[in-house]
Amino acid sequence: MRSLFTTNGLLSSMPYSNVYVKFAGTFNRTVCVYTDGIIVTCADMAVSCRSVLRALSRCRRQLLITSTPSSLSASQNAARPHPIRSYAAAAKPAQKPRKEKGTTKDVKEEEKKKKQKQKIDDTGRHKPYGLTAWAPVDDVYLVRFYPKPVYDAEVAVDMLKNFQRLDFTPEDQPVFIDLQLDMKLEKKKKVDPFVSTVHLPHPFKKDLNKVVVFTENPEQARLATENGANIVGGAELVEKILEDEITADFYVAVPEIIPKLVPLKNKLRKKFPKSKRGSVGVNILKMLELFKTGHEYMVERDCYIVTQVATLNMPKEHILDNMRAIVQDVASHKPAEFGPLIERAITSSKTSEGLHIKCDTFLPQEVKEEA
């Protein structure tokens, strides 16, 4: 406001911008207060000074609202009060420095090396790393403070038989073997998890496996029936299998009928005929001979095999022969130049603890030629 009237008709200066009060005259007793686009008129000179100040305060509030310059304002260069901001803008996040090309691969390789467990060589040490000693002194000790003993397969089988006599458990309980595999090949390649069927030298099952043969050839159907196939048929068996009217241990098929068996994939799942498992082929006699008396095992959880090899009431030599047949068949799934496939082997019965065994004795040993 540039000027303010007084009761004696004189104008006084006030530091208000774009607002001024004009004394219209003493005869008509009219006072006009001008702002940017706003006119306040006091019609009576006898109005109290309080009313005038109230009107001026309302005019001052309008200054906080930005508006276009008015032709009535006295000066556009005068200082204006600005509203106070009670908040702060969020700071922009700092930009990450760009990585140079070629460094990301190095970082990933370093992270992989850190994640990999470093194998500590304990040879020549007075005790294993992180354990108390190589062997306990007393006959009663805490197992976690000493390395797990690794027994010969013959000794482990004798211990399992001794456990059964001491615990008064059934004599015909199953004997299992647990194998951990090293599936790595060169670079990033790995051995694919596999399913295999092997002939055990001494079968432990009393009954033969039930086999279903899928074929529409009358001659092949006759051969399959004569050689011990339980059920032989074509596409008409699909609905019976879906309705659980037919169940079997193995399903064998010829290549021509596979497209008609697609509805059975979700039903049979792992038992569905596949060429990798040897259940799809032309030689029906050979497949029947394998699956009627064969023992099937598979790789589970990427690198583990747990399968039954015998019963505890069988002679020790028969149990060892069955172990040897399975270990040799498992080891044949990895080329020899990439190292051994079996990392560790554990045998146990249904009610006993697991015993680590040496499986190298089951594998064929290389004969060194003397010069």
Side-chain angles (χ1 to χ4, degrees):
M1 181 182 294
R2 294 300 181 84
S3 58
L4 181 66
F5 71 91
T6 57
T7 54
N8 57 4
L10 298 177
L11 296 175
S12 62
S13 176
M14 293 290 290
Y16 292 92
S17 63
N18 296 336
V19 178
Y20 62 92
V21 179
K22 181 180 179 182
F23 178 71
T26 55
F27 298 100
N28 55 7
R29 316 185 83 143
T30 302
V31 177
C32 295
V33 181
Y34 295 90
T35 62
D36 292 338
I38 299 173
I39 302 176
V40 180
T41 304
C42 296
D44 193 357
M45 280 295 297
V47 71
S48 62
C49 190
R50 185 179 301 171
S51 299
V52 175
L53 293 176
R54 189 182 297 114
L56 293 176
S57 64
R58 294 176 181 173
C59 296
R60 187 176 180 183
R61 288 194 203 108
Q62 299 297 328
L63 296 177
L64 299 177
I65 303 174
T66 58
S67 59
T68 56
S70 176
S71 59
L72 300 176
S73 59
S75 175
Q76 296 291 337
N77 297 327
R80 300 186 181 188
H82 297 283
I84 300 174
R85 187 175 63 180
S86 59
Y87 60 90
K92 293 182 179 180
Q95 295 182 355
K96 295 181 180 180
R98 294 183 179 179
K99 296 181 180 180
E100 297 180 359
K101 294 182 179 179
T103 58
T104 54
K105 293 183 179 179
D106 299 337
V107 173
K108 289 181 179 179
E109 290 179 358
E110 291 178 1
E111 291 178 354
K112 287 183 180 179
K113 290 180 181 179
K114 290 180 181 179
K115 290 180 181 179
Q116 291 178 353
K117 294 182 179 179
Q118 296 181 356
K119 294 183 179 180
I120 300 174
D121 188 10
D122 290 335
T123 54
R125 288 176 57 91
H126 63 286
K127 66 175 184 178
Y129 183 81
L131 300 175
T132 303
W134 285 104
V137 180
D138 300 329
D139 55 352
V140 178
Y141 58 93
L142 294 177
V143 177
R144 66 176 180 270
F145 293 148
Y146 299 91
K148 295 180 180 179
V150 182
Y151 304 98
D152 292 331
E154 297 83 357
V155 177
V157 173
D158 290 335
M159 292 176 67
L160 293 179
K161 290 181 175 291
N162 192 25
F163 293 157
Q164 180 271 324
R165 289 190 293 269
L166 295 175
D167 297 338
F168 298 100
T169 54
E171 295 182 356
D172 58 347
Q173 58 183 307
V175 178
F176 300 95
I177 188 170
D178 183 354
L179 304 177
Q180 181 179 353
L181 309 180
D182 180 14
M183 309 289 280
K184 295 180 181 179
L185 296 176
E186 59 181 0
K187 296 183 179 180
K188 297 182 179 180
K189 296 182 179 179
K190 292 184 178 181
V191 178
D192 295 330
F194 53 88
V195 180
S196 181
T197 303
V198 61
H199 276 294
L200 296 178
H202 309 282
F204 54 86
K205 291 183 179 180
K206 297 179 180 179
D207 300 328
L208 297 176
N209 296 323
K210 189 175 181 181
V211 183
V212 174
V213 178
F214 292 101
T215 180
E216 294 180 342
N217 189 335
E219 184 64 23
Q220 292 177 343
R222 185 183 61 80
L223 289 174
T225 305
E226 293 175 356
N227 287 272
N230 299 92
I231 299 173
V232 181
E236 67 276 3
L237 299 178
V238 173
E239 290 188 6
K240 295 182 179 180
I241 295 174
L242 292 175
E243 295 176 358
D244 294 330
E245 295 181 7
I246 296 176
T247 56
D249 298 317
F250 296 97
Y251 296 86
V252 175
V254 293
E256 294 80 11
I257 201 172
I258 290 296
K260 298 180 181 179
L261 304 180
V262 173
L264 295 176
K265 276 191 174 181
N266 293 333
K267 181 69 176 179
L268 300 181
R269 295 189 178 181
K270 294 180 180 180
K271 293 183 178 181
F272 188 81
K274 294 181 181 178
S275 57
K276 289 183 178 180
R277 299 177 62 181
S279 55
V280 176
V282 180
N283 194 343
I284 295 179
L285 299 181
K286 183 178 179 181
M287 292 189 293
L288 282 174
E289 183 182 356
L290 174 63
F291 291 108
K292 279 173 56 180
T293 59
H295 175 71
E296 186 183 54
Y297 66 89
M298 65 181 64
V299 178
E300 300 176 342
R301 294 175 295 161
D302 295 334
C303 62
Y304 293 96
I305 294 175
V306 181
T307 184
Q308 184 180 353
V309 294
T311 56
L312 201 56
N313 58 354
M314 294 173 60
K316 181 176 70 173
E317 293 76 12
H318 292 185
I319 298 175
L320 294 175
D321 291 342
N322 288 351
M323 286 185 179
R324 183 178 294 104
I326 291 179
V327 169
Q328 290 180 358
D329 187 75
V330 171
S332 64
H333 287 82
K334 184 177 180 179
E337 60 266 19
F338 296 110
L341 177 61
I342 301 174
E343 289 186 337
R344 64 125 179 93
I346 300 175
T347 184
S348 63
S349 63
K350 189 175 181 180
T351 60
S352 72
E353 61 179 290
L355 303 175
H356 289 252
I357 61 174
K358 300 175 183 178
C359 61
D360 297 339
T361 56
F362 294 139
L363 300 175
Q365 303 295 328
E366 296 182 359
V367 179
K368 296 182 179 180
E369 297 180 358
E370 295 181 359

